[in-house]
Amino acid sequence: MKIVIIEPLNISMAKIEEYRKKMELEGHQLIAYSKRAETEAEMIKRAEVADILVIANQPLSAEVINACPKLKFISVAFTGFDHLAIEACRKNEILVANAAGYANQAVTELVFGLVIDLMRKIKKADAFVRNSKTKASLIGTELAGKNFGIVGFGAIGQKVAQVANSFGCKILVDKHKEYNFEADFEVEYLELEKLMQKSDIVSLHVPLKETTQNLITSEELALMKKSAILINTARGPVVNSQDLAKALNNGEIGGAGIDVFEMEPPIPKSHPLLKAKNTILTPHLAFATEEAFLKRAEIVFENIENWLAAKPQNLV
Ligand SMILES: NC(=O)C1=CN([C@@H]2O[C@H](COP(=O)(O)OP(=O)(O)OC[C@H]3O[C@@H](n4cnc5c(N)ncnc54)[C@H](O)[C@@H]3O)[C@@H](O)[C@H]2O)C=CC1
Ligand SMILES: O=CC(=O)O
């Protein structure tokens, strides 16, 4: 089988060589590109020879998929797969697996980085010190005792719940489905509307799909407490950015921590969240830690091995 890693996986060449040797021992060939393809034509050139394709966050269109006659399996080095033409994969009988779980810790840690920055005004405080100001307007709030709302209670949402509980928060989870969650702390399951009303912090962890696009608009934001903060490390289109910027600028909510946008950063200078009050923005990097990159390469190759052994896992 020809395995093509179409874009860099942010691991060392030595690690790639390890995987190459392992694959070669099993009689397969590994081709790994160290730079992204700049055009669709270049993507096709790289992918058309592949039996197995590894792709991270580069969009994969139906045109590229349709141009790959040998392609049978895609091992996605990402959790979300909203950037892949999944329907074209189905039509071409190409199985797709994601790297579920590689970034649970990394995303959770960024969520609390954003939350604590907003609650303790760390970014602002740093600027205050540099400008010889005092702490008069920098009184913070604590996580302990707060209602921490989680929308999307999968792998990442559950990890976030555990950490929020250890900070002394009460955990509220949206009633999207019956969750099988066992923990030694209490979780209250609520309709989304009630969760938005009761939460001091709302953290989003849903995948992007038709039913989660614009899940949070002015309607849901209007239900939130004036002091509440919204964290989005899920996907940009889950929140309506215009509505969120308006709610922040009008003081309808207390703040926002945003890692994901409708488009990948760099985002245009005109983006409404760039000028929104009490907002901290990061360029889609919640997953981006050295540890997560190593874990995801492991999962990507495990998915390939399982598929080769006709025991596919993490199928999407
Ligand atoms: N910013 C970043 O760097 C990263 C972002 N992500 C995003 O986080 C998402 C979640 O990741 P995981 O927790 O691993 O996925 P997961 O599949 O384990 O969990 C997603 C949960 O959302 C629930 N859900 C689906 N539709 C819903 C709806 N309409 N309302 C409420 N809940 C709904 C599902 O039932 C599931 O429990 C990914 O799909 C990806 O988009 C993931 C990793 C890194
Ligand atoms: O956004 C990152 C992912 O793995 O999904």
Side-chain angles (χ1 to χ4, degrees):
M1 294 269 175
K2 248 187 197 148
I3 304 161
V4 174
I5 305 180
I6 201 168
E7 60 178 314
L9 293 184
N10 300 95
I11 53 173
S12 65
M13 274 317 286
K15 203 76 198 153
I16 291 280
E17 286 315 310
E18 240 177 68
Y19 287 118
R20 186 195 309 284
K21 274 194 196 126
K22 195 159 183 282
M23 288 293 130
E24 281 177 359
L25 274 176
E26 294 173 24
H28 309 297
Q29 187 189 350
L30 183 70
I31 304 167
Y33 287 92
S34 56
K35 276 199 185 132
R36 276 184 157 208
E38 305 238 321
T39 61
E40 201 159 81
E42 179 61 25
M43 282 189 83
I44 292 175
K45 209 164 143 209
R46 294 180 183 191
E48 67 188 354
V49 297
D51 298 284
I52 298 172
L53 188 67
V54 176
I55 190 153
N57 54 343
Q58 192 158 24
L60 187 63
S61 68
E63 286 67 30
V64 176
I65 291 163
N66 290 335
C68 297
K70 296 168 67 196
L71 191 56
K72 300 164 193 69
F73 183 62
I74 303 177
S75 187
V76 183
F78 232 37
T79 317
F81 45 88
D82 47 278
H83 56 300
L84 264 68
I86 287 290
E87 204 39 52
C89 294
R90 274 197 196 107
K91 276 197 190 132
N92 289 290
E93 296 181 5
I94 299 165
L95 289 186
V96 180
N98 70 348
Y102 81 94
N104 296 354
Q105 184 69 26
V107 176
T108 302
E109 290 187 12
L110 189 80
V111 166
F112 286 93
L114 296 172
V115 169
I116 293 173
D117 190 320
L118 287 163
M119 293 180 80
R120 299 303 302 271
K121 310 181 201 319
I122 297 173
K123 202 170 69 152
K124 229 186 228 172
D126 176 87
F128 266 47
V129 175
R130 292 173 201 282
N131 292 304
S132 309
K133 289 190 187 170
T134 67
K135 59 180 173 296
S137 63
L138 293 176
I139 310 306
T141 49
E142 293 180 11
L143 268 164
K146 298 292 186 298
N147 286 338
F148 199 110
I150 298 171
V151 183
F153 203 47
I156 297 173
Q158 293 183 12
K159 183 107 197 151
V160 167
Q162 270 152 0
V163 177
N165 169 68
S166 72
F167 271 109
C169 296
K170 176 155 193 242
I171 312 301
L172 314 179
V173 168
D174 81 283
K175 251 187 185 169
H176 169 66
K177 63 171 198 184
E178 292 268 315
Y179 292 101
N180 219 345
F181 180 66
E182 280 177 30
D184 54 5
F185 56 88
E186 206 183 303
V187 172
E188 189 179 355
Y189 295 93
L190 297 169
E191 296 298 341
L192 182 62
E193 292 71 24
K194 267 265 164 308
L195 179 143
M196 299 304 283
Q197 282 170 354
K198 283 184 75 171
S199 297
D200 297 293
I201 300 111
V202 175
S203 194
L204 305 174
H205 300 290
V206 291
L208 175 61
K209 47 186 186 165
E210 241 170 68
T211 50
T212 56
Q213 187 149 5
N214 266 320
L215 187 68
I216 308 297
T217 64
S218 51
E219 222 173 284
E220 289 71 32
L221 294 165
L223 300 170
M224 290 175 78
K225 298 179 187 177
K226 281 199 174 357
S227 57
I229 62 180
L230 180 77
I231 305 293
N232 187 10
T233 58
R235 283 293 182 266
V238 172
V239 178
N240 183 306
S241 293
Q242 292 281 358
D243 291 0
L244 175 59
K246 224 188 266 169
L248 286 158
N249 291 332
N250 295 340
E252 288 164 35
I253 69 168
I258 305 294
D259 183 51
V260 282
F261 303 87
E262 302 86 340
M263 66 292 284
E264 279 293 295
I267 59 170
K269 288 258 183 285
S270 58
H271 195 281
L273 287 174
L274 291 186
K275 290 210 173 95
K277 279 189 195 159
N278 298 328
T279 305
I280 175 158
L281 308 173
T282 50
H284 194 169
L285 52 61
F287 67 98
T289 66
E290 288 172 15
E291 293 85 350
F293 286 145
L294 286 173
K295 239 180 275 171
R296 95 170 164 173
E298 250 170 58
I299 299 172
V300 158
F301 281 95
E302 256 167 41
N303 284 343
I304 292 174
E305 294 279 10
N306 286 328
W307 179 78
L308 288 168
K311 290 181 202 147
Q313 282 176 28
N314 294 329
L315 292 182
V316 301

